[in-house]
Amino acid sequence: MDALPPLSTAADPLAALADRILAEQAGQLPLLAGVTVLLPAQETAPRLRRLLLAGAAARGHRALLGPRLLTLGDWLAGFAPGHSVISDYGRELLLVEALRDQRQMFGHGNLWSLADSLLDLFDELTLNRIGLPPTLEEFRRRLVAGYGPDSHALGALALEARVVHTLWQAWHQQMEARGVIDRPAATLLRLAASLEHIDGPLYLAGFRPANRAEAEWLAALRQHPAVRAVEQQTEPAKTDSPYAAFLNQALWPQAHPLAERAHAFAAAHPVSPAAGRLVIHAADGAEQEARAVELQVRLRLLDGCDSVAVITENRRLARRVRALLERAEVAVQDAAGWALSTTSAAAALERWLQCVEEDFPYQAMLDLLKSPFVFTGAERATRLNDVYRLEQGVVLQGNIGRSLARYRQQLRERQLLLPAEMAPELERIAALLDHLEYAATPLRLLSAYPQRPDRLLAALDESLRRLGLAASFAADAAGARLLQELAAMAAAVEQDTPPLAWSEFRAWLSRTLERYNFRPPVSGSRVQLMGLEQSRLGHWDAIIIAGAEREYLPGAPTPSPFFNEAVRRELGLPTAEERCHERLLQFRRLLEAAPHVTLTLRRQQDGEDVLPSPWVEALRAFHHLAWNAALSDPQLAAWTGDAQTEVFLCDTPALPTPPGLARPTLPAALLPKTLSASGYQQLIDCPYRFFAARALGLAPPEAIREALEKADYGERVHRALQAFHHGLPGLPGPFGRVITAANRDEAEALLRDIAEQVFADDVAGNLLHRGWLLRWQAVIPRYIKWELEREQQGWRVHQAELTLRREDWLPGLTLKGRIDRLDRGPDGHGIVDYKTGTVPKDAEVHEGEAVQLPFYALLSDEAIAQAEYVALDGENVSARATLSAAELTALRDANAQRLRTLYEEIAAGRPLPAWGDSRTCRRCDMAGVCRRAACDEEVTAQ
């Protein structure tokens, strides 16, 4: 190998490589088809191609034929290993099969996670040319040498040795029996074969061996005369650049303390060489950091930078930065991409499988049907209308949480009630449900019992084809990537692959979607987003290293259930210390790979301090000790916190005025024609809430309740008491007699019997609902005791669940209400309102803020002597907030006058303001319309 002296860390290795290729192959220009260039990452190939074309143009050649620009893996793929190579999916299935055969060794652990850890370990052993000893005892002795003979964990050590050794042997025996080798073993054979088949100039740049096999291959390659290499310095070296010297002094461990080195360096360099070139920006949180990165990118582009790199290991931060830049219409080339599981195609697939597994739960079904992957083209608008009708008329109106059979039953009942002109729409909905069942049939037929994975994948493919997802995925970049992995999974399955239970198959599929990435087809962007490993050989006009915290730089070692660092060192495996050093080399190179470098990090996350990267701390501390100055950029910090620097997309030339608390007026056409006690209470609590809910009809849709809630419990308790006191068709009762000490047990027994039947359907549908029944049954004795005492005072139940109306109480306004119970007593009638939840406070009732009882008195034509709430929850059943005749009459008349005045003022155009009362707002369904949160400052100021 002919190698140039190592380039300085500030040099552009790709430019040096391009110059060397053009200089050495000048006689062949423009024909470079016989030249091969090996690069550490494919992301560097476009820039090298541009550099070669520019250099060729300077030499009088407008185009080039070649060279071949390949990664090492792509190049090695051209050499046959001489054996059949099992795919990664196939070897995973093979190892899981071996693990099943050795279940007694590790109990009921997750086979797939264990297979992951073992395969990573086996790959390391293979690529570092480390074979395990043939006997378990010899292997255990080597582990003891690593852990130490005085280890207190000899029992666990013996188990670890036995697990790894046994599975290593079983794994290789299975591959040998099938006549295959795995990818790492094939890599060893291809590396050896490549040394014998170098038939033209071969150039390498930026290679850092990842294992012993690559290191030995690179050493052998250096002896070949056709090989050329371009390498950079890695360790500290004498340099003429003050900035490079500053970086070396700050980052590399040395004999002298940091403070002593800093003072000596400052004496030699009175002006900081990092000032204006290196910035460290500490943000208060994740969102502020993302804003700082996005703002810095835009600033560099405005400064004329042709290439900006955002380098981070924090994928959450990367996604947020990408979103902010796209909002600013800045295209980003994301070299890392994101997990397939986070794409919309995978979300549609997950929703479909959830439908199949759980008998079409309504939320998953509706999400799927609204997905752009299900209905496309001209029919989409019509189909979405059908889905809307399915949601409103079948799911919500029938309160159906799942089951195609129940959806169909509700649809049939709707067909009997709706006019004939609705028939075509209902028929399309029925056909839609039939189509869902047809598409689910292949999977439902196979998921009940363990099946070979190829059969399950074929069933999944057929299901997606029937549903139309297969065609839609094929037309989408992320969807096509998903289909590619499904096809690879199917191709990996051998004839004798053991069956998988559906749960195992789902785990395998989910892991695939998490493990493999999708990279959008974006090219030509001036902004690149990548990880540290992908930045090798890069050189840009500006670099932003984001997420510079200890968590990501250097980052925590990848956890493994096997072998500590001492054992890895004993076996000859790479250690965490070596990996950390390699990442430091990459980090150090990046600090000179652009004339402007910005490091960003968070100070806090969720209220907890975040540790900065030790490398960043070293740079920051060294600079402060040397020149008593920070490497921060006050202007960047100020702009990051300034709302005017945010990109705001608006269809008007001016920004909207800051919102104030809502104060709408109500047009006469929207004046409610009827008013209930709850509507009147809304008007008192918050006029705007009354406006939105009652006048505009913006009450939120009923949620599908698959389990009983507190409101459902209250409704059933009311029904049971109505049957007990007044009678209901289909239920036992009424009791029909005065309750006495003699028949008290009989009354309790009847109410219990009624309760059993009222809750019967709920308990049959969900055993957990029995808890609500038991809750009410525990209250029954206390209720009968309260009723006995009330009847001893002369009260008798007169009517239950009584609906009252006062027509045209005011011109155009009817009052209405439903009284739980109207009793007859010695001095007149009594109103009883049952409460299974919160009871209004006595003070609120007596002061007229809680209006339900006076409103009911206003509705009744009877002489009301008393009104009260009866609390049916807690230790005691008791009357609350009792209003006697005189007080009730006064409150009734005062509320009548207040309501009359309010209604007349509203009709005259008086605004209906949002009070902004925190207690009312906390329980308000109209918060999304009112947007009180946007007016918090104004509320506070008031």
Side-chain angles (χ1 to χ4, degrees):
M1 177 193 290
D2 182 10
L4 290 173
L7 302 172
S8 73
T9 50
D12 183 349
L14 283 186
L17 177 61
D19 289 343
R20 184 170 192 190
I21 293 173
L22 293 172
E24 294 183 349
Q25 306 299 324
Q28 305 297 322
L29 293 178
L31 301 179
L32 297 179
V35 176
T36 300
V37 181
L38 299 187
L39 300 169
Q42 194 61 46
E43 286 74 24
T44 59
R47 182 165 176 267
L48 177 58
R49 189 172 289 112
R50 290 194 299 269
L51 290 169
L52 287 170
L53 286 171
R59 289 169 169 81
H61 301 283
R62 298 171 57 187
L64 288 175
L65 181 61
R68 292 193 305 159
L69 307 182
L70 302 170
T71 64
L72 177 59
D74 293 337
W75 185 62
L76 291 178
F79 301 100
H83 296 76
S84 296
V85 181
I86 190 171
S87 69
D88 288 346
Y89 288 120
R91 71 175 190 152
E92 187 175 41
L93 290 172
L94 199 62
L95 183 56
V96 168
E97 180 185 0
L99 292 175
R100 282 205 193 98
D101 295 338
Q102 304 292 335
R103 266 289 192 187
Q104 72 282 358
M105 298 179 63
F106 46 83
H108 299 284
N110 186 312
L111 295 182
W112 298 94
S113 295
L114 183 58
D116 258 356
S117 299
L118 283 168
L119 286 173
D120 288 343
L121 174 62
F122 292 169
D123 288 353
E124 283 193 292
L125 292 171
T126 301
L127 293 172
N128 285 282
R129 302 190 186 279
I130 301 169
L132 294 189
T135 66
L136 175 60
E137 182 57 30
E138 185 179 351
F139 181 48
R140 192 184 71 81
R141 284 197 298 270
R142 290 193 66 181
L143 294 188
V144 169
Y147 282 111
D150 299 328
S151 173
H152 297 290
L154 289 180
L157 185 152
L159 176 61
E160 179 181 51
R162 186 159 60 93
V163 167
V164 173
H165 191 271
T166 301
L167 292 173
W168 170 268
Q169 300 292 348
W171 161 244
H172 282 84
Q173 288 170 6
Q174 282 186 307
M175 286 199 296
E176 185 177 351
R178 284 172 166 78
V180 298
I181 59 174
D182 61 1
R183 178 175 45 80
T187 297
L188 297 182
L189 295 174
R190 286 181 168 126
L191 286 172
S194 69
L195 296 173
E196 305 298 327
H197 296 86
I198 299 175
D199 53 4
L202 178 65
Y203 291 84
L204 297 90
F207 271 96
R208 298 285 298 171
N211 48 64
R212 185 181 301 171
E214 288 187 8
E216 293 174 354
W217 169 80
L218 197 58
L221 204 63
R222 286 193 175 99
Q223 309 305 316
H224 199 289
V227 177
R228 308 286 189 269
V230 173
E231 300 175 343
Q232 281 186 293
Q233 295 173 351
T234 56
E235 302 299 335
K238 184 177 180 180
T239 175
D240 296 330
S241 165
Y243 178 66
F246 157 73
L247 296 176
N248 290 341
Q249 288 288 324
L251 290 175
W252 300 120
Q254 298 180 35
H256 300 288
L258 184 71
E260 184 178 330
R261 302 200 310 267
H263 294 149
F265 193 85
H269 302 85
V271 178
S272 166
R277 180 166 184 179
L278 178 64
V279 171
I280 299 177
H281 176 76
D284 290 334
E287 180 61 20
Q288 192 183 86
E289 183 184 8
R291 282 271 296 113
V293 174
E294 178 254 0
L295 181 59
Q296 188 74 329
V297 170
R298 290 194 284 125
L299 287 171
R300 292 306 176 193
L301 293 177
L302 290 173
D303 287 342
C305 291
D306 288 327
S307 59
V308 179
V310 178
I311 300 168
T312 181
E313 299 292 284
N314 183 343
R315 292 309 301 167
R316 176 178 294 182
L317 174 62
R319 288 195 297 270
R320 182 56 181 154
V321 168
R322 180 188 179 91
L324 291 173
L325 287 171
E326 288 180 343
R327 186 175 69 180
E329 299 182 348
V330 175
V332 178
Q333 184 171 350
D334 191 342
W338 50 85
L340 273 175
S341 60
T342 63
T343 63
S344 56
L349 175 62
E350 177 61 31
R351 282 310 205 185
W352 173 237
L353 293 177
Q354 188 179 352
C355 286
V356 174
E357 293 165 346
E358 302 174 24
D359 196 8
F360 292 87
Y362 80 97
Q363 194 65 66
M365 180 182 71
L366 294 174
D367 286 349
L368 174 73
L369 293 176
K370 294 173 184 177
S371 165
F373 292 105
V374 177
F375 301 124
T376 58
E379 69 164 358
R380 180 165 173 77
T382 301
R383 287 297 193 179
L384 287 180
N385 180 70
D386 294 341
V387 174
Y388 174 79
R389 297 298 182 189
L390 171 64
E391 179 178 6
Q392 298 296 319
V394 176
V395 174
L396 295 177
Q397 184 157 340
N399 191 47
I400 302 173
R402 67 187 65 242
S403 173
L404 285 178
R406 293 182 64 197
Y407 298 143
R408 288 193 178 103
Q409 178 61 33
Q410 175 69 13
L411 184 61
R412 286 192 291 269
E413 294 175 4
R414 294 279 293 167
Q415 288 174 319
L416 297 176
L417 298 175
L418 293 176
E421 56 265 26
M422 296 290 292
E425 186 176 273
L426 298 177
E427 289 173 0
R428 288 199 305 271
I429 297 174
L432 176 60
L433 295 176
D434 291 342
H435 184 67
L436 290 176
E437 184 172 43
Y438 168 72
T441 300
L443 288 174
R444 283 182 161 179
L445 291 175
L446 294 183
S447 61
Y449 301 100
Q451 304 283 344
R452 271 184 43 195
D454 58 334
R455 295 194 63 195
L456 290 170
L457 286 165
L460 176 59
D461 180 71
E462 175 64 15
S463 175
L464 296 179
R465 187 190 63 77
R466 291 184 180 187
L467 189 62
L469 285 180
S472 298
F473 285 172
D476 175 77
R481 180 76 181 86
L482 189 153
L483 292 178
Q484 179 185 358
E485 289 304 327
L486 291 179
M489 293 170 71
V493 180
E494 302 287 342
Q495 290 296 320
D496 57 348
T497 300
L500 298 178
W502 177 254
S503 59
E504 291 180 303
F505 172 73
R506 286 286 273 122
W508 187 35
L509 177 59
S510 297
R511 289 157 55 77
T512 295
L513 299 181
E514 287 291 341
R515 182 185 306 164
Y516 293 97
N517 282 9
F518 163 69
R519 292 194 291 180
V522 178
S523 61
S525 171
R526 291 193 290 166
V527 181
Q528 292 179 292
L529 182 62
M530 65 187 70
L532 191 64
E533 184 63 31
Q534 295 159 319
S535 67
R536 290 182 183 274
L537 299 185
H539 215 81
W540 301 270
D541 293 336
I543 293 174
I544 302 164
I545 303 176
E549 298 105 22
R550 185 183 296 270
E551 180 183 358
Y552 302 106
L553 291 176
T558 303
S560 172
F562 305 106
F563 306 156
N564 65 14
E565 290 299 298
V567 173
R568 293 181 64 86
R569 191 174 294 109
E570 169 67 22
L571 292 175
L573 293 173
T575 63
E577 181 180 355
E578 293 169 343
R579 289 191 292 268
C580 179
H581 180 70
E582 184 63 30
R583 290 172 70 82
L584 176 57
L585 293 176
Q586 295 179 49
F587 175 76
R588 166 65 182 83
R589 193 197 73 81
L590 283 174
L591 297 180
E592 287 193 273
H596 302 285
V597 178
T598 302
L599 303 171
T600 70
L601 61 149
R602 298 163 293 155
R603 291 192 186 95
Q604 287 190 330
Q605 182 67 40
D606 300 327
E608 297 186 2
D609 291 340
V610 176
L611 294 175
S613 166
W615 306 333
V616 174
E617 279 292 83
L619 291 169
R620 188 156 51 184
F622 187 95
H623 195 273
H624 187 271
L625 289 168
W627 296 283
N628 193 29
L631 283 169
S632 58
D633 183 351
Q635 187 66 71
L636 176 61
W639 282 344
T640 300
D642 188 348
Q644 295 189 42
T645 64
E646 293 187 43
V647 174
F648 182 80
L649 301 179
C650 187
D651 55 2
T652 59
L655 294 176
T657 57
L661 288 173
R663 298 176 58 85
T665 57
L666 185 59
L670 295 180
L671 277 172
K673 301 298 186 291
T674 61
L675 187 67
S676 64
S678 61
Y680 180 30
Q681 188 68 62
Q682 278 185 336
L683 182 59
I684 298 301
D685 290 342
C686 178
Y688 183 83
R689 184 181 182 187
F690 170 83
F691 165 80
R694 302 289 168 166
L696 299 184
L698 296 179
E702 287 289 329
I704 300 299
R705 298 191 297 275
E706 299 189 62
L708 280 179
E709 298 177 359
K710 191 66 179 288
D712 304 310
Y713 168 72
E715 185 272 329
R716 282 149 182 76
V717 168
H718 279 62
R719 181 173 173 80
L721 291 176
Q722 183 182 4
F724 178 78
H725 289 296
H726 197 266
L728 278 176
L731 290 174
F735 187 66
R737 287 173 287 162
V738 175
I739 298 177
T740 64
N743 64 15
R744 175 176 175 173
D745 291 344
E746 186 181 347
E748 282 189 24
L750 175 61
L751 191 50
R752 288 180 182 279
D753 187 22
I754 293 171
E756 289 280 358
Q757 297 195 38
V758 166
F759 283 87
D761 289 343
D762 301 312
V763 174
N766 188 337
L767 187 61
L768 296 177
H769 291 164
R770 187 161 187 82
W772 290 107
L773 170 61
L774 295 175
R775 180 174 181 167
W776 170 233
Q777 286 180 332
V779 176
I780 286 175
R782 300 194 290 271
Y783 175 78
I784 294 297
K785 178 178 180 292
W786 174 83
E787 182 63 33
L788 171 61
E789 294 171 354
R790 181 171 175 81
E791 292 188 3
Q792 287 175 348
Q793 297 170 10
W795 294 100
R796 299 290 183 271
V797 177
H798 178 56
Q799 288 179 293
E801 300 297 329
L802 176 63
T803 300
L804 298 177
R805 296 176 67 89
R806 290 199 65 174
E807 302 286 347
D808 291 329
W809 181 74
L810 283 176
L813 179 64
T814 295
L815 305 183
K816 65 176 183 177
R818 182 167 181 165
I819 297 175
D820 292 343
R821 174 171 152 182
L822 186 66
D823 288 1
R824 184 185 292 117
D827 301 317
H829 288 80
I831 293 174
V832 174
D833 190 80
Y834 302 128
K835 293 294 183 186
T836 57
T838 304
V839 181
K841 297 178 180 178
D842 286 11
E844 294 174 347
V845 175
H846 294 298
E847 292 170 4
E849 292 302 310
V851 302
Q852 185 179 17
L853 294 179
F855 188 88
Y856 285 163
L858 180 62
L859 287 176
S860 178
D861 293 328
E862 307 289 350
I864 305 299
Q866 180 179 288
E868 60 191 0
Y869 298 111
V870 176
L872 299 177
D873 232 354
E875 293 298 322
N876 296 307
V877 172
S878 59
R880 306 276 181 88
T882 301
L883 296 174
S884 59
E887 185 181 12
L888 179 61
T889 300
L891 283 172
R892 179 199 63 190
D893 295 343
N895 272 282
Q897 181 58 45
R898 178 171 61 178
L899 179 56
R900 183 177 289 107
T901 301
L902 287 173
Y903 193 80
E904 290 172 349
E905 290 180 346
I906 293 170
R910 180 177 177 178
L912 292 165
W915 291 146
D917 171 60
S918 59
R919 187 182 63 175
T920 301
C921 292
R922 191 163 53 246
R923 302 188 302 270
C924 183
D925 295 327
M926 299 298 121
V929 182
C930 172
R931 301 188 68 183
R932 173 186 180 271
C935 311
D936 274 343
E937 292 183 7
E938 180 177 333
V939 173
T940 303
Q942 292 178 349

